[in-house]
Amino acid sequence: MSDKVLFLEYVMNKFEEVAKKIKLDPKVKTILSQPKNEIIVNFPVLMDNGEYELFKGYRIQHNNILGPFKGGIRYHEEVKLDEVKALAMLMTIKCSLVGLPLGGAKGGIKFNPRNYSQDEVMRVTRRFTHSLGDCIGPNYDIPAPDMGTNGQTMVWMMDTYMNTRDQGSRHNVRGVVTGKTVECGGTLGRASATGTGVVMCIEEWARGCGLDLNGSSFSIQGFGNVGSWAAIGLVNLGAKLTAVNDHTGTIISEEGINVHALREYVLENGGISGYKDFEVLERDAFFKHKVDIMVPAALENQIDVHEAKMMDVKLVAEGANGPTTPEAEQILAKKGTDLIPDVLANSGGVIVSYFEWVQNKSSNYWVEDKVHAELKRIITTAYLEVVNTSNNHKCDMRTASFIKSFEALQHTYAQRGIFP
Ligand code: NAD
């Protein structure tokens, strides 16, 4: 598999390719080629054994011409500056693509939360938030959950931020993070939003190519937030989950895997290994397994040349960010495999995060049906626009997504100019 450091290179190469293709204004290209701010903090945290451990946290603010910086916070032992820079740029592209008044950012801490107690993870989160200080804010930079973080993490971040504000303005700053639990100011439908958005894109794709999802088969890599909710959504449409891979192994069943029981098992045990009497298979078995639809929903660079050569699927719908390398994408394209790119397929998360932010700003709550209907309207419109762009430019959907996104950013820069 390719070295993960190359992920930033992949994103930058795609940026260069599309900038050239659409003759992107050189001023705009210069601005977008680097993040506006790169924040790195090192902070000590008290461990349960009474000792202090030093952690390294990142917040990369790529661009905010369309609105406040926006993007997830990742807790993973392989978090590094280049990776976060690439992910922050993808957020700028994603928000612009789906027409949100938000910019792009990403953050993370280099550690594996599974190796720490809940209290320790809480203290890491609070110290990180405090170290970021005014570098985040409800009108400036709004973090959200990503890999290794969840609603509870966001509530700790919100609470820490709130408690550093003066008494009178604490309740005005709930929107400093999104993806919070509903009890603490989150929106209905946020936890499932990214997976649901993936399924909405798959529905449009199936309609376009005349495939009946009822009776189709699918596989999922990563059975966390995005993967498990995508699986539930597809099963609700009559599709059958026949293979799952995560950091603990692969399980396969031609009869179909019960998504609700597996989700409960993973929430309790942290991985799929040991679920019922399933044999735990090698990673390759997952990629060799023939299905109609594969949803990678774990890490970047998971589908490389080795995996693409083994795969026999009609569609890859990228729940994760950057799961397919460019070389793998070419192999899949030659095989006739369709691909819905990350910036479109997993945009449901940031779309519903935007709804949460709007609700927090207006001290209002939306019913879940409204969240669902608005998500469907925005993501379906974006999907159809990307298909149109791809037809007009005779290009794949990732290139079309970048084109649409950069054109929108270029129009904004053309009207606003560059200060001073
Ligand atoms: P999560 O922490 O809830 O789940 C991550 C999953 O990946 C777990 O099932 C884990 O076992 C699996 N995994 C980790 N390392 C792996 C490996 N080496 N091989 C196979 N599986 C592995 O994370 P999540 O929030 O579901 O995020 C997953 C992906 O989706 C990430 O790329 C993230 O950037 C992207 N994403 C998440 C959101 C969101 O709202 N959470 C939004 C947009 C994009």
Side-chain angles (χ1 to χ4, degrees), residues 70 90-100 102 189-190 192-201 226 317-321 340-355 374-383 386 401:
K70 185 89 190 82
L90 288 182
M91 283 306 298
T92 300
I93 296 169
K94 197 179 299 181
C95 291
S96 167
L97 171 65
V98 296
L100 300 178
L102 295 169
R190 174 60 183 90
S192 57
T194 309
T196 304
V198 171
V199 175
M200 287 170 175
C201 288
V226 179
E318 294 185 332
N321 285 306
I340 310 176
D342 46 12
V343 285
L344 175 62
N346 70 33
S347 62
V350 73
I351 294 171
V352 176
S353 270
Y354 166 65
F355 300 158
E374 283 295 288
L375 169 60
K376 192 160 181 88
R377 180 180 67 76
I378 294 177
I379 205 163
T380 304
T381 305
Y383 182 95
V386 169
S401 299

Side-chain angles (χ1 to χ4, degrees), residues 74 146-148 190 194 223-226 245-247 297-298 319-321:
R74 177 174 290 194
D146 191 78
M147 204 154 161
R190 174 60 183 90
T194 309
F223 212 74
N225 175 284
V226 179
N245 167 265
D246 78 356
H247 71 287
N321 285 306

Side-chain angles (χ1 to χ4, degrees), residues 240-244 251-258 278 281 289:
K240 190 163 69 168
L241 174 64
T242 58
V244 184
I251 58 173
I252 290 180
S253 164
E254 288 299 346
E255 289 77 53
I257 299 164
N258 182 325
F278 280 89
L281 304 167
H289 180 73

Side-chain angles (χ1 to χ4, degrees), residues 154-210:
M154 292 306 114
V155 171
W156 289 327
M157 286 191 83
M158 177 196 76
D159 186 73
T160 308
Y161 185 85
M162 271 179 148
N163 277 294
T164 62
R165 304 295 113 178
D166 65 77
Q167 296 275 11
S169 50
R170 286 189 186 167
H171 289 286
N172 295 336
V173 298
R174 274 171 197 270
V176 64
V177 287
T178 58
K180 302 179 289 287
T181 62
V182 174
E183 295 79 8
C184 295
T187 180
L188 292 166
R190 174 60 183 90
S192 57
T194 309
T196 304
V198 171
V199 175
M200 287 170 175
C201 288
I202 294 173
E203 277 185 279
E204 284 308 313
W205 166 83
R207 211 185 317 280
C209 67

